[in-house]
Amino acid sequence: MASAKIIQLPQADLKSNEKVLVTQPYIPPLDKYMHFVEQAFDNKWLTNGGPLLKELTNRLKDYLGVKHLLIVNNGTSALQLAYKLKDLSGKTALTTPFTFPATSTALEWQNVNIRLADIDRDSWNLSASNCKTQIQKGNVDAIVPVNIFGAPCDLEAFDELGKKYDIPIIYDSAQALLSKYKGKSIFDYGDIHCVSFHATKLFHCIEGGALIFKNKEDLQRAESLINFGISEGGIVKEAGINAKMSELHAAMGLCVLDDLDFLVENRQKSVERYHSELSDCVELQTTSYDSYTPPMYMPVKFENEQELLRVNEQLNLHGYSARRYFYPANNKYIDEKRLNDLATNNQITDSILCLPLMHGLQYKHIKNIAKLISF
Ligand SMILES: *Cc1c(COP(=O)(O)O)cnc(C)c1O
């Protein structure tokens, strides 16, 4: 391949060793974090449902306006617990091919058979009408939609499918903590939502996650499951796992939660700048219903893979590292004979790139990136 001609930028370029990564975790002030660490040390309480974890749980419930929330050690164990709670082992779940691998690998880990349905062309989310077609072919015991890049899927339509066919709807909302659907929290829909508090997410505990339940019974069973399955009186009714969050992780959550509104505001500004610079030359994720997508990622869709590769090379040459989400495609779970059923997914997977987005991203970088894309 001929080497690419380097496009000259009007703005100051990065220093030769400097790089703008696709994302970076938000780092709160160290003294603030240490204040909570001191509390944990004074309490001599480091894990097992300590006071910092209780405080974080209560503050998150208030912040999100939800009743039944359980914090766990990461988003992937939240998914595994949700699949276990709905007793899906040996059964079949319908999910999206366009997602982070954990959505499906956690299903496989729980011995759940995976069926894929195609995604929607504009929201890039699992399409409820394609799910309906799959369900009518038979043998679907649960649906696992993902609110991808934080954009809500058609939650009402999935609730209807759940009711009509009497199957649970479990959301991988790892990227969607603050998302809204028709003016309401996404947590008003579905049976269980799994969220991630990983360091790269908008709100984080370094590692962490949570389950949000419609039913109190699910919460109570999950509380015992994350503690080896030990329930009241020390009795083990079923095998659980250790999925507890430590006090030092909860401490990080308390620091980041204090700043969350400010973090959203800052990244929202960057997203709006990207949109105004880029709306003419790339496609952006949209929904056909009223929705709010928190500013967590900056995905753009190119006309084709060739165009994506051309831009990505230029970005790299200038020290900007974008990332292809979710590439390579989750082929492990795609039945070759049914590739035609996933036509939209195949096209989307080849043409989406996430641009750098993090707290405090400078405007000049957005301008540079836009210039390299529109060239
Ligand atoms: C981050 C993420 C996960 C996994 O969460 P962890 O906390 O990293 O285990 C699962 N699904 C999606 C869509 C994610 O973005």
Side-chain angles (χ1 to χ4, degrees), residues 330-364:
N330 235 346
N331 280 332
K332 187 169 191 284
Y333 303 108
I334 297 180
D335 180 352
E336 285 291 324
K337 282 173 284 183
R338 294 193 44 246
L339 264 183
N340 284 343
D341 290 352
L342 302 173
T344 307
N345 172 67
N346 300 335
Q347 200 231 337
I348 299 285
T349 304
D350 281 346
S351 53
I352 297 219
L353 193 64
C354 280
L355 305 176
L357 181 64
M358 68 209 71
H359 185 69
L361 178 64
Q362 289 176 48
Y363 191 18
K364 70 171 186 191

Side-chain angles (χ1 to χ4, degrees), residues 53-297:
L53 179 61
K54 284 202 182 100
E55 187 182 340
L56 181 63
T57 303
N58 288 332
R59 283 193 51 197
L60 264 178
K61 278 160 66 175
D62 279 353
Y63 190 86
L64 301 171
V66 298
K67 270 208 231 128
H68 310 309
L69 175 141
L70 180 68
I71 295 180
V72 293
N73 58 345
N74 61 61
T76 306
S77 37
L79 288 167
Q80 285 176 224
L81 284 155
Y83 302 153
K84 184 165 175 76
L85 280 159
K86 291 300 167 191
D87 300 313
L88 295 182
S89 175
K91 297 183 182 164
T92 299
L94 195 55
T95 189
T96 169
F98 190 65
T99 180
F100 185 69
T103 316
S104 313
T105 54
L107 280 167
E108 187 180 347
W109 195 268
Q110 293 303 123
N111 291 315
V112 186
N113 303 313
I114 296 166
R115 275 256 293 278
L116 300 173
D118 208 359
I119 57 175
D120 175 76
R121 184 168 301 283
D122 301 313
S123 74
W124 313 334
N125 273 317
L126 188 61
S127 141
S129 63
N130 286 333
C131 283
K132 191 170 180 183
T133 312
Q134 293 293 327
I135 294 170
Q136 283 165 346
K137 289 180 185 168
N139 215 17
V140 172
D141 303 294
I143 311 178
V144 183
V146 182
N147 296 301
I148 209 68
F149 303 131
C153 51
D154 195 348
L155 292 108
E156 231 164 48
F158 282 110
D159 264 8
E160 275 166 31
L161 285 180
K163 225 188 258 161
K164 183 169 167 137
Y165 296 100
D166 194 23
I167 50 177
I169 313 293
I170 300 167
Y171 285 98
D172 179 342
S173 296
Q175 310 181 338
L177 186 70
L178 304 176
S179 305
K180 289 209 157 57
Y181 174 86
K182 298 190 178 173
K184 293 207 292 186
S185 161
I186 56 166
F187 304 133
D188 289 356
Y189 300 84
D191 294 277
I192 305 180
H193 286 263
C194 303
V195 295
S196 166
F197 303 152
H198 183 258
T200 54
K201 269 49 180 199
L202 195 50
F203 168 75
H204 79 86
C205 301
I206 308 174
E207 291 277 0
L211 295 121
I212 293 151
F213 306 97
K214 183 163 84 182
N215 295 324
K216 195 172 176 194
E217 297 70 41
D218 282 341
L219 167 70
Q220 287 166 337
R221 189 171 156 216
E223 279 171 340
S224 139
L225 278 177
I226 68 165
N227 188 33
F228 313 100
I230 300 172
S231 54
E232 262 171 63
I235 298 161
V236 176
K237 287 196 202 137
E238 61 176 328
I241 190 99
N242 178 2
K244 302 188 300 297
M245 176 179 276
S246 83
E247 288 292 273
L248 299 194
H249 290 87
M252 180 57 85
L254 287 167
C255 291
V256 179
L257 189 56
D258 266 347
D259 296 340
L260 189 52
D261 289 342
F262 162 68
L263 301 184
V264 170
E265 201 181 306
N266 182 279
R267 283 209 213 194
Q268 188 64 41
K269 229 177 259 164
S270 293
V271 166
E272 278 161 20
R273 283 170 169 164
Y274 267 125
H275 283 193
S276 68
E277 302 269 347
L278 286 174
S279 55
D280 293 339
C281 45
V282 289
E283 245 178 77
L284 300 169
Q285 188 183 24
T286 56
T287 63
S288 58
Y289 32 82
D290 170 41
S291 66
Y292 167 69
T293 303
M296 180 118 116
Y297 298 90

